Coordinates of all heavy atoms in Angstrom, one line a residue:
M1 N -8.4 67.4 -77.0 CA -9.3 68.1 -78.0 C -10.4 68.9 -77.2 O -11.1 68.3 -76.4 CB -10.0 67.0 -78.8 CG -10.8 67.6 -79.9 SD -9.9 68.0 -81.4 CE -11.3 68.6 -82.5
A2 N -10.4 70.2 -77.4 CA -11.3 71.0 -76.7 C -12.8 70.9 -77.2 O -13.0 70.9 -78.4 CB -10.9 72.5 -76.8
T3 N -13.7 70.7 -76.3 CA -15.1 70.7 -76.7 C -15.6 72.1 -77.0 O -15.0 73.1 -76.6 CB -15.9 70.0 -75.7 OG1 -15.9 70.8 -74.5 CG2 -15.4 68.7 -75.4
L4 N -16.8 72.2 -77.6 CA -17.4 73.6 -77.8 C -17.6 74.3 -76.5 O -17.4 75.5 -76.4 CB -18.7 73.3 -78.5 CG -18.7 73.5 -80.0 CD1 -20.1 73.3 -80.6 CD2 -18.2 75.0 -80.4
L5 N -18.0 73.5 -75.4 CA -18.3 74.1 -74.1 C -17.0 74.7 -73.5 O -17.0 75.7 -73.0 CB -18.9 73.0 -73.2 CG -19.4 73.6 -71.8 CD1 -20.6 74.5 -72.0 CD2 -19.7 72.4 -70.9
D6 N -15.9 73.9 -73.7 CA -14.6 74.4 -73.2 C -14.3 75.7 -73.9 O -13.8 76.7 -73.2 CB -13.5 73.3 -73.5 CG -13.6 72.2 -72.5 OD1 -14.1 72.4 -71.5 OD2 -13.2 71.1 -72.9
R7 N -14.5 75.8 -75.2 CA -14.2 77.0 -75.9 C -15.0 78.1 -75.4 O -14.6 79.2 -75.3 CB -14.4 76.8 -77.5 CG -13.3 75.9 -78.0 CD -12.9 76.4 -79.4 NE -12.2 75.4 -80.1 CZ -12.7 74.6 -80.9 NH1 -13.9 74.7 -81.4 NH2 -11.9 73.7 -81.5
F8 N -16.3 77.8 -75.2 CA -17.2 78.8 -74.7 C -16.7 79.3 -73.3 O -16.6 80.5 -73.1 CB -18.6 78.2 -74.5 CG -19.6 79.2 -73.9 CD1 -20.1 80.2 -74.6 CD2 -20.0 79.0 -72.6 CE1 -21.0 81.2 -74.1 CE2 -21.0 79.9 -72.1 CZ -21.4 81.0 -72.8
E9 N -16.3 78.4 -72.5 CA -15.7 78.8 -71.1 C -14.5 79.6 -71.3 O -14.4 80.7 -70.7 CB -15.4 77.5 -70.4 CG -16.6 76.8 -69.7 CD -17.2 77.7 -68.6 OE1 -16.4 78.1 -67.7 OE2 -18.4 77.9 -68.6
E10 N -13.6 79.2 -72.2 CA -12.4 80.0 -72.5 C -12.7 81.4 -72.9 O -12.1 82.3 -72.4 CB -11.7 79.2 -73.7 CG -10.2 79.6 -73.8 CD -9.3 78.7 -73.0 OE1 -9.6 77.5 -72.8 OE2 -8.3 79.2 -72.5
Q11 N -13.7 81.6 -73.8 CA -14.0 82.9 -74.3 C -14.5 83.7 -73.1 O -14.2 84.9 -73.0 CB -15.1 82.8 -75.4 CG -14.6 82.3 -76.7 CD -13.4 83.2 -77.2 OE1 -13.4 84.4 -77.1 NE2 -12.4 82.5 -77.8
K12 N -15.4 83.1 -72.3 CA -16.0 83.8 -71.2 C -14.9 84.2 -70.2 O -14.9 85.4 -69.7 CB -17.0 82.8 -70.5 CG -18.1 83.6 -69.8 CD -19.2 82.6 -69.4 CE -18.8 81.7 -68.2 NZ -19.8 80.7 -67.8
M13 N -13.9 83.4 -70.0 CA -12.8 83.7 -69.1 C -12.0 84.9 -69.6 O -11.6 85.8 -68.9 CB -11.9 82.5 -68.9 CG -12.5 81.4 -68.1 SD -13.1 81.9 -66.5 CE -14.4 80.7 -66.3
K14 N -11.8 84.8 -71.0 CA -11.0 85.9 -71.6 C -11.7 87.2 -71.4 O -11.2 88.3 -71.2 CB -10.8 85.6 -73.1 CG -9.5 84.9 -73.3 CD -9.3 84.6 -74.8 CE -8.2 83.5 -74.9 NZ -8.3 82.8 -76.1
K15 N -13.1 87.1 -71.5 CA -13.9 88.4 -71.4 C -13.9 88.9 -70.0 O -13.7 90.1 -69.8 CB -15.3 88.0 -71.8 CG -15.8 89.0 -72.9 CD -17.3 88.6 -73.2 CE -17.5 88.5 -74.7 NZ -18.8 88.0 -75.1
T16 N -14.0 88.0 -69.0 CA -14.0 88.4 -67.6 C -12.7 88.8 -67.1 O -12.6 89.6 -66.2 CB -14.7 87.4 -66.7 OG1 -14.0 86.2 -66.9 CG2 -16.2 87.2 -67.0
K17 N -11.6 88.2 -67.7 CA -10.2 88.6 -67.4 C -9.8 88.3 -66.0 O -8.8 88.8 -65.5 CB -10.0 90.0 -67.8 CG -9.7 90.3 -69.2 CD -9.3 91.7 -69.4 CE -8.7 92.0 -70.8 NZ -8.4 93.4 -70.9
G18 N -10.6 87.6 -65.2 CA -10.2 87.2 -63.8 C -10.4 88.4 -62.9 O -10.9 89.5 -63.3
K19 N -10.1 88.2 -61.7 CA -10.3 89.2 -60.7 C -9.3 90.3 -60.8 O -8.1 90.1 -61.2 CB -10.1 88.6 -59.3 CG -11.1 87.5 -59.0 CD -11.4 87.3 -57.6 CE -10.1 86.8 -56.8 NZ -10.4 86.5 -55.4
P20 N -9.7 91.5 -60.3 CA -8.6 92.6 -60.3 C -7.7 92.3 -59.1 O -8.0 91.8 -58.1 CB -9.5 93.9 -59.9 CG -10.7 93.4 -59.4 CD -11.0 92.0 -59.9
C21 N -6.4 92.7 -59.4 CA -5.3 92.5 -58.4 C -5.6 93.4 -57.2 O -6.0 94.6 -57.4 CB -4.0 92.9 -59.1 SG -2.6 93.0 -58.0
T22 N -5.4 92.9 -56.0 CA -5.7 93.7 -54.8 C -4.6 94.7 -54.6 O -4.8 95.6 -53.7 CB -5.8 92.8 -53.6 OG1 -4.6 92.0 -53.4 CG2 -7.0 91.8 -53.7
I23 N -3.5 94.7 -55.3 CA -2.5 95.6 -55.1 C -2.6 96.8 -56.2 O -2.6 97.9 -55.8 CB -1.1 95.0 -55.1 CG1 -1.0 94.0 -54.0 CG2 0.0 96.0 -55.1 CD1 0.2 93.1 -54.0
C24 N -2.6 96.4 -57.5 CA -2.6 97.4 -58.5 C -4.0 97.6 -59.1 O -4.1 98.6 -59.9 CB -1.6 97.1 -59.5 SG -2.0 95.7 -60.7
G25 N -4.9 96.7 -58.9 CA -6.2 96.9 -59.5 C -6.4 96.4 -60.9 O -7.5 96.4 -61.4
E26 N -5.3 96.0 -61.6 CA -5.4 95.5 -63.0 C -6.0 94.1 -62.9 O -5.7 93.4 -62.0 CB -4.1 95.6 -63.6 CG -3.6 96.9 -63.9 CD -4.4 97.7 -64.9 OE1 -4.7 97.0 -66.0 OE2 -4.7 98.9 -64.7
P27 N -6.8 93.7 -63.9 CA -7.3 92.3 -63.9 C -6.1 91.3 -64.0 O -5.1 91.5 -64.7 CB -8.2 92.2 -65.1 CG -8.0 93.5 -65.9 CD -7.3 94.5 -65.0
I28 N -6.3 90.2 -63.4 CA -5.3 89.1 -63.4 C -5.7 88.1 -64.5 O -6.7 87.5 -64.4 CB -5.2 88.4 -62.0 CG1 -4.8 89.4 -61.0 CG2 -4.2 87.2 -62.1 CD1 -5.1 88.9 -59.5
V29 N -4.8 88.0 -65.5 CA -5.0 87.1 -66.6 C -4.1 85.8 -66.3 O -2.9 86.0 -66.2 CB -4.6 87.7 -67.9 CG1 -4.9 86.7 -69.1 CG2 -5.4 89.0 -68.1
L30 N -4.8 84.7 -66.2 CA -4.0 83.5 -65.8 C -3.4 82.8 -67.1 O -4.1 82.7 -68.1 CB -5.0 82.5 -65.1 CG -5.5 82.9 -63.8 CD1 -6.3 81.8 -63.2 CD2 -4.4 83.3 -62.8
V31 N -2.2 82.4 -67.0 CA -1.6 81.7 -68.0 C -0.9 80.4 -67.5 O -0.1 80.5 -66.7 CB -0.4 82.5 -68.7 CG1 0.2 81.6 -69.8 CG2 -1.0 83.8 -69.3
P32 N -1.4 79.2 -67.7 CA -2.6 78.9 -68.6 C -3.9 79.4 -68.0 O -3.9 79.7 -66.8 CB -2.6 77.4 -68.7 CG -1.8 76.9 -67.5 CD -0.8 78.0 -67.2
S33 N -4.9 79.6 -68.8 CA -6.1 80.2 -68.3 C -6.8 79.4 -67.3 O -6.5 78.2 -67.1 CB -7.1 80.4 -69.5 OG -7.5 79.1 -69.9
A34 N -7.8 80.0 -66.6 CA -8.5 79.3 -65.5 C -9.3 78.1 -66.1 O -9.3 77.0 -65.6 CB -9.5 80.2 -64.9
A35 N -9.8 78.3 -67.3 CA -10.6 77.2 -68.0 C -9.6 76.0 -68.3 O -10.0 74.9 -68.1 CB -11.2 77.7 -69.3
E36 N -8.5 76.4 -68.8 CA -7.4 75.4 -69.1 C -7.0 74.6 -67.8 O -6.9 73.4 -67.9 CB -6.2 76.1 -69.6 CG -5.1 75.2 -70.1 CD -5.1 74.9 -71.6 OE1 -6.0 75.5 -72.2 OE2 -4.3 74.1 -72.1
R37 N -6.8 75.3 -66.8 CA -6.4 74.6 -65.5 C -7.5 73.7 -65.0 O -7.3 72.7 -64.5 CB -6.1 75.7 -64.4 CG -4.8 76.4 -64.6 CD -4.7 77.6 -63.7 NE -3.8 78.6 -64.2 CZ -2.7 78.9 -63.6 NH1 -2.3 78.3 -62.5 NH2 -1.8 79.7 -64.1
A38 N -8.8 74.2 -65.1 CA -9.9 73.4 -64.7 C -10.0 72.2 -65.5 O -10.4 71.1 -65.0 CB -11.2 74.3 -64.8
R39 N -9.8 72.3 -66.8 CA -9.9 71.1 -67.7 C -8.8 70.1 -67.3 O -9.1 68.9 -67.4 CB -9.6 71.6 -69.2 CG -10.0 70.6 -70.2 CD -10.4 71.2 -71.5 NE -9.3 72.1 -72.0 CZ -9.5 73.4 -72.4 NH1 -10.7 73.9 -72.3 NH2 -8.5 74.1 -72.8
K40 N -7.7 70.5 -66.9 CA -6.6 69.6 -66.6 C -6.7 69.1 -65.1 O -6.0 68.1 -64.8 CB -5.2 70.2 -66.8 CG -4.9 70.3 -68.3 CD -3.6 71.0 -68.5 CE -3.3 71.2 -70.0 NZ -2.3 72.2 -70.2
D41 N -7.5 69.7 -64.3 CA -7.5 69.3 -62.9 C -8.3 68.0 -62.7 O -9.4 67.9 -63.2 CB -8.3 70.5 -62.1 CG -8.2 70.2 -60.6 OD1 -7.1 70.5 -60.1 OD2 -9.1 69.7 -60.1
V42 N -7.7 67.1 -62.0 CA -8.3 65.7 -61.9 C -9.4 65.7 -60.8 O -10.2 64.8 -60.8 CB -7.2 64.7 -61.6 CG1 -6.4 64.4 -62.9 CG2 -6.4 65.0 -60.5
T43 N -9.3 66.7 -59.9 CA -10.3 66.7 -58.8 C -11.6 67.4 -59.2 O -12.5 67.5 -58.4 CB -9.7 67.4 -57.6 OG1 -9.3 68.7 -57.9 CG2 -8.5 66.6 -57.0
G44 N -11.7 67.9 -60.4 CA -12.9 68.5 -60.9 C -13.2 69.9 -60.4 O -14.4 70.3 -60.3
K45 N -12.2 70.6 -60.1 CA -12.4 72.0 -59.6 C -12.9 72.9 -60.8 O -12.4 72.7 -61.9 CB -11.1 72.6 -59.0 CG -10.7 71.9 -57.7 CD -9.5 72.7 -57.2 CE -9.0 72.0 -55.9 NZ -8.3 70.8 -56.3
P46 N -13.8 73.8 -60.5 CA -14.4 74.6 -61.6 C -13.3 75.8 -61.9 O -12.5 76.1 -61.1 CB -15.6 75.3 -61.0 CG -15.4 75.2 -59.5 CD -14.6 74.0 -59.2
A47 N -13.5 76.3 -63.1 CA -12.6 77.4 -63.5 C -12.5 78.5 -62.5 O -11.5 79.2 -62.2 CB -12.9 77.9 -64.9
Q48 N -13.7 78.8 -61.9 CA -13.9 79.9 -60.9 C -12.9 79.7 -59.8 O -12.4 80.7 -59.2 CB -15.3 80.0 -60.4 CG -15.7 81.2 -59.6 CD -15.5 82.5 -60.5 OE1 -15.8 82.6 -61.6 NE2 -14.9 83.5 -59.9
Y49 N -12.7 78.5 -59.4 CA -11.8 78.1 -58.3 C -10.4 78.7 -58.6 O -9.7 79.3 -57.7 CB -11.7 76.6 -58.1 CG -10.6 76.2 -57.2 CD1 -10.8 76.2 -55.8 CD2 -9.3 75.8 -57.7 CE1 -9.7 75.8 -54.9 CE2 -8.3 75.5 -56.8 CZ -8.5 75.4 -55.5 OH -7.5 75.1 -54.7
F50 N -10.0 78.6 -59.8 CA -8.6 79.0 -60.2 C -8.5 80.5 -60.3 O -7.5 81.2 -60.0 CB -8.2 78.4 -61.5 CG -8.0 76.9 -61.3 CD1 -9.0 76.0 -61.7 CD2 -6.8 76.3 -60.8 CE1 -8.9 74.7 -61.5 CE2 -6.7 75.0 -60.6 CZ -7.7 74.1 -60.9
I51 N -9.7 81.1 -60.7 CA -9.8 82.6 -60.7 C -9.7 83.1 -59.3 O -8.9 84.0 -59.0 CB -11.1 83.0 -61.3 CG1 -11.0 82.7 -62.8 CG2 -11.3 84.5 -61.2 CD1 -12.3 83.1 -63.6
N52 N -10.4 82.4 -58.3 CA -10.4 82.9 -56.9 C -9.0 82.7 -56.3 O -8.7 83.3 -55.3 CB -11.4 82.2 -56.1 CG -12.9 82.6 -56.6 OD1 -13.0 83.7 -57.1 ND2 -13.8 81.8 -56.3
L53 N -8.3 81.7 -56.8 CA -7.0 81.4 -56.2 C -6.0 82.5 -56.3 O -5.1 82.7 -55.4 CB -6.5 80.2 -57.0 CG -5.6 79.2 -56.3 CD1 -6.2 78.7 -55.0 CD2 -5.2 78.0 -57.2
F54 N -6.1 83.3 -57.3 CA -5.1 84.4 -57.5 C -5.8 85.7 -57.4 O -6.6 86.1 -58.2 CB -4.5 84.3 -58.9 CG -3.9 82.9 -59.2 CD1 -4.6 81.9 -59.8 CD2 -2.6 82.7 -58.7 CE1 -4.0 80.6 -60.0 CE2 -1.9 81.4 -59.0 CZ -2.7 80.4 -59.5
D55 N -5.4 86.5 -56.4 CA -6.0 87.8 -56.3 C -4.9 88.9 -56.3 O -5.1 90.1 -56.0 CB -6.9 88.0 -55.1 CG -6.2 87.6 -53.7 OD1 -5.0 87.3 -53.8 OD2 -6.9 87.6 -52.7
Q56 N -3.6 88.5 -56.6 CA -2.5 89.4 -56.7 C -1.6 88.9 -57.8 O -1.4 87.8 -58.0 CB -1.7 89.5 -55.5 CG -2.5 90.2 -54.3 CD -1.8 90.1 -53.0 OE1 -0.8 89.4 -52.8 NE2 -2.3 90.8 -52.0
H57 N -1.1 89.9 -58.7 CA -0.1 89.5 -59.6 C 1.2 89.1 -58.9 O 1.5 89.7 -57.8 CB 0.3 90.7 -60.5 CG -0.8 91.2 -61.4 ND1 -1.4 92.4 -61.2 CD2 -1.5 90.6 -62.4 CE1 -2.4 92.5 -62.1 NE2 -2.4 91.4 -62.9
S58 N 1.9 88.1 -59.4 CA 3.1 87.7 -58.7 C 4.1 88.8 -58.7 O 4.8 89.0 -57.7 CB 3.7 86.4 -59.3 OG 3.9 86.7 -60.7
E59 N 4.1 89.6 -59.7 CA 5.1 90.8 -59.8 C 4.7 91.8 -58.7 O 5.6 92.4 -58.0 CB 5.1 91.6 -61.1 CG 5.1 90.6 -62.3 CD 3.7 90.2 -62.8 OE1 3.0 91.1 -63.4 OE2 3.3 89.1 -62.5
C60 N 3.4 92.0 -58.5 CA 2.9 92.9 -57.5 C 3.3 92.5 -56.1 O 3.6 93.3 -55.3 CB 1.4 93.2 -57.7 SG 1.0 94.1 -59.1
T61 N 3.1 91.2 -55.8 CA 3.4 90.6 -54.6 C 4.9 90.8 -54.2 O 5.3 91.2 -53.1 CB 3.1 89.1 -54.5 OG1 1.8 88.9 -55.1 CG2 3.2 88.5 -53.1
V62 N 5.8 90.5 -55.2 CA 7.2 90.7 -55.1 C 7.5 92.2 -54.8 O 8.3 92.5 -53.9 CB 7.9 90.2 -56.4 CG1 9.4 90.6 -56.3 CG2 7.8 88.7 -56.5
K63 N 6.9 93.1 -55.6 CA 7.1 94.5 -55.5 C 6.7 95.0 -54.1 O 7.5 95.7 -53.4 CB 6.4 95.2 -56.6 CG 6.7 96.7 -56.7 CD 6.2 97.2 -58.0 CE 6.2 98.7 -58.1 NZ 4.9 99.3 -57.7
K64 N 5.5 94.5 -53.7 CA 5.0 94.9 -52.4 C 5.9 94.4 -51.3 O 6.2 95.1 -50.3 CB 3.6 94.3 -52.1 CG 2.9 94.9 -51.0 CD 1.4 94.5 -51.0 CE 0.7 94.9 -49.7 NZ 0.4 93.8 -48.8
R65 N 6.4 93.2 -51.4 CA 7.3 92.6 -50.4 C 8.6 93.4 -50.3 O 9.0 93.7 -49.2 CB 7.6 91.2 -50.7 CG 6.6 90.2 -50.2 CD 7.1 88.9 -49.7 NE 5.9 88.0 -49.8 CZ 5.9 87.0 -50.7 NH1 6.8 86.8 -51.5 NH2 4.8 86.2 -50.6
S66 N 9.1 93.8 -51.4 CA 10.4 94.5 -51.3 C 10.2 95.9 -50.8 O 11.0 96.4 -50.1 CB 11.1 94.5 -52.7 OG 10.4 95.4 -53.6
E67 N 9.0 96.5 -51.1 CA 8.7 97.8 -50.5 C 8.5 97.7 -49.0 O 9.0 98.6 -48.3 CB 7.4 98.4 -51.2 CG 7.6 99.0 -52.5 CD 6.4 99.3 -53.3 OE1 5.2 99.2 -52.7 OE2 6.5 99.7 -54.4
E68 N 8.0 96.7 -48.6 CA 7.8 96.4 -47.1 C 9.1 96.3 -46.5 O 9.4 96.7 -45.4 CB 6.9 95.3 -46.9 CG 5.4 95.6 -47.0 CD 4.5 94.3 -47.0 OE1 5.0 93.2 -46.9 OE2 3.3 94.5 -47.1
A69 N 10.0 95.5 -47.1 CA 11.3 95.3 -46.7 C 12.1 96.6 -46.5 O 12.8 96.9 -45.5 CB 12.1 94.3 -47.5
V70 N 12.0 97.5 -47.5 CA 12.6 98.7 -47.5 C 12.1 99.6 -46.4 O 12.8 100.2 -45.6 CB 12.5 99.5 -48.9 CG1 12.9 100.9 -48.8 CG2 13.2 98.8 -50.0
A71 N 10.8 99.6 -46.2 CA 10.1 100.3 -45.1 C 10.6 99.9 -43.7 O 10.8 100.6 -42.8 CB 8.6 100.3 -45.2
N72 N 10.7 98.5 -43.7 CA 11.2 97.9 -42.4 C 12.6 98.3 -42.0 O 12.9 98.7 -41.0 CB 11.1 96.4 -42.5 CG 10.0 95.8 -41.9 OD1 9.4 96.3 -40.9 ND2 9.6 94.6 -42.4
M73 N 13.4 98.3 -43.1 CA 14.8 98.7 -42.9 C 14.9 100.2 -42.5 O 15.7 100.5 -41.6 CB 15.6 98.5 -44.1 CG 16.1 97.0 -44.2 SD 17.2 96.8 -45.6 CE 16.1 96.2 -46.8
R74 N 14.1 101.0 -43.2 CA 14.1 102.4 -42.9 C 13.7 102.6 -41.4 O 14.3 103.4 -40.6 CB 13.2 103.2 -43.8 CG 13.4 104.7 -43.7 CD 12.4 105.4 -44.7 NE 12.6 105.0 -46.0 CZ 11.6 104.6 -46.8 NH1 10.3 104.6 -46.3 NH2 11.8 104.2 -48.1
R75 N 12.6 102.0 -41.0 CA 12.2 102.1 -39.6 C 13.2 101.6 -38.6 O 13.4 102.2 -37.5 CB 10.8 101.2 -39.5 CG 10.1 101.6 -38.2 CD 8.7 101.1 -38.2 NE 8.7 99.6 -38.3 CZ 7.9 99.0 -39.2 NH1 7.1 99.6 -40.0 NH2 8.0 97.6 -39.3
Y76 N 13.9 100.5 -39.0 CA 14.9 100.0 -38.1 C 16.0 101.0 -38.0 O 16.5 101.2 -36.9 CB 15.4 98.7 -38.7 CG 16.5 98.0 -37.9 CD1 16.2 97.4 -36.7 CD2 17.8 98.0 -38.4 CE1 17.2 96.8 -35.9 CE2 18.8 97.3 -37.6 CZ 18.4 96.8 -36.4 OH 19.4 96.2 -35.7
R77 N 16.4 101.6 -39.1 CA 17.6 102.6 -39.0 C 17.1 103.8 -38.1 O 17.9 104.3 -37.4 CB 17.9 103.1 -40.4 CG 19.0 102.3 -41.1 CD 19.6 103.1 -42.2 NE 18.7 103.6 -43.1 CZ 18.3 103.0 -44.2 NH1 18.8 101.8 -44.5 NH2 17.5 103.5 -45.1
E78 N 15.9 104.2 -38.3 CA 15.4 105.4 -37.6 C 15.0 105.2 -36.1 O 15.3 106.0 -35.3 CB 14.2 106.0 -38.3 CG 14.6 106.7 -39.7 CD 13.4 106.9 -40.6 OE1 12.3 106.7 -40.1 OE2 13.6 107.4 -41.7
T79 N 14.5 104.0 -35.8 CA 14.0 103.8 -34.5 C 14.7 102.6 -33.8 O 14.5 102.5 -32.5 CB 12.5 103.5 -34.5 OG1 12.3 102.3 -35.1 CG2 11.7 104.6 -35.2
G80 N 15.4 101.8 -34.5 CA 16.0 100.6 -33.9 C 15.0 99.5 -33.7 O 15.3 98.6 -33.0
E81 N 13.8 99.7 -34.2 CA 12.8 98.7 -34.0 C 12.4 98.1 -35.2 O 12.7 98.6 -36.3 CB 11.5 99.4 -33.3 CG 11.7 99.9 -31.9 CD 10.6 100.7 -31.5 OE1 9.6 100.9 -32.2 OE2 10.7 101.3 -30.4
G82 N 11.7 97.0 -35.2 CA 11.1 96.4 -36.3 C 12.0 95.3 -36.8 O 12.4 94.4 -36.1
M83 N 12.4 95.3 -38.1 CA 13.2 94.3 -38.7 C 12.5 93.0 -38.6 O 13.1 92.0 -38.2 CB 14.6 94.3 -38.1 CG 15.7 94.1 -39.0 SD 15.7 95.3 -40.4 CE 17.0 94.5 -41.4
I84 N 11.2 93.0 -38.9 CA 10.5 91.7 -39.0 C 10.5 91.2 -40.4 O 9.6 91.5 -41.2 CB 9.0 91.9 -38.4 CG1 9.0 92.8 -37.2 CG2 8.3 90.6 -38.2 CD1 7.7 93.6 -37.1
I85 N 11.5 90.5 -40.7 CA 11.6 89.9 -42.1 C 11.7 88.4 -41.9 O 12.6 88.0 -41.2 CB 12.7 90.5 -42.9 CG1 12.4 92.0 -43.1 CG2 12.8 89.8 -44.2 CD1 13.5 92.7 -43.8
Ligands
ZN101 ZN1 -1.2 93.7 -59.8

C-alpha cells in the first residue's frame, strides 16, 4: 500500500523523468520507476540512486555497441588493425 509520501515521490519522479541519456539525450524513464525501486529496496537506497544508476537507454547502448562493432570491422577491413571486440 503506497503512502501519500510515496505517491508524492512518484509524481516528482514522473515530472523529472530521470536523467537524459548520454547517447541520445532523451530522458530515461525507469520501469518500474525509481521511486518504486527505492520502495522495494531492502538496503534503503533513495530513488535518486536508481536514477543515477541509469544514464543510457538499453536500446541506445545496444545500438552504440553495434555501431562500434561495424566501425571496428570496417577499420579492420581497411587497415588490418583493430578488431577489439
Ligand atoms: Zn537514449
Side-chain angles (χ1 to χ4, degrees):
M1 184 85 178
T3 66
L4 265 178
L5 186 67
D6 285 334
R7 284 219 196 101
F8 177 73
E9 279 294 307
E10 196 91 32
Q11 287 303 320
K12 209 167 69 179
M13 291 306 153
K14 268 178 195 157
K15 234 182 229 174
T16 52
K17 277 188 173 176
K19 297 205 298 187
C21 173
T22 57
I23 297 170
C24 74
E26 290 294 318
I28 298 164
V29 181
L30 299 183
V31 180
S33 71
E36 184 96 2
R37 286 168 202 248
R39 193 153 57 229
K40 285 180 183 159
D41 189 82
V42 289
T43 58
K45 291 185 184 75
Q48 191 62 41
Y49 169 85
F50 294 95
I51 291 176
N52 290 338
L53 208 56
F54 302 94
D55 56 4
Q56 289 169 355
H57 295 114
S58 52
E59 313 90 78
C60 289
T61 313
V62 170
K63 194 163 162 266
K64 190 168 176 255
R65 278 217 199 107
S66 73
E67 278 168 8
E68 279 168 0
V70 168
N72 257 334
M73 275 186 265
R74 192 182 302 129
R75 191 166 61 228
Y76 181 70
R77 268 203 307 272
E78 287 166 3
T79 67
E81 290 168 4
M83 221 53 193
I84 317 153
I85 296 174

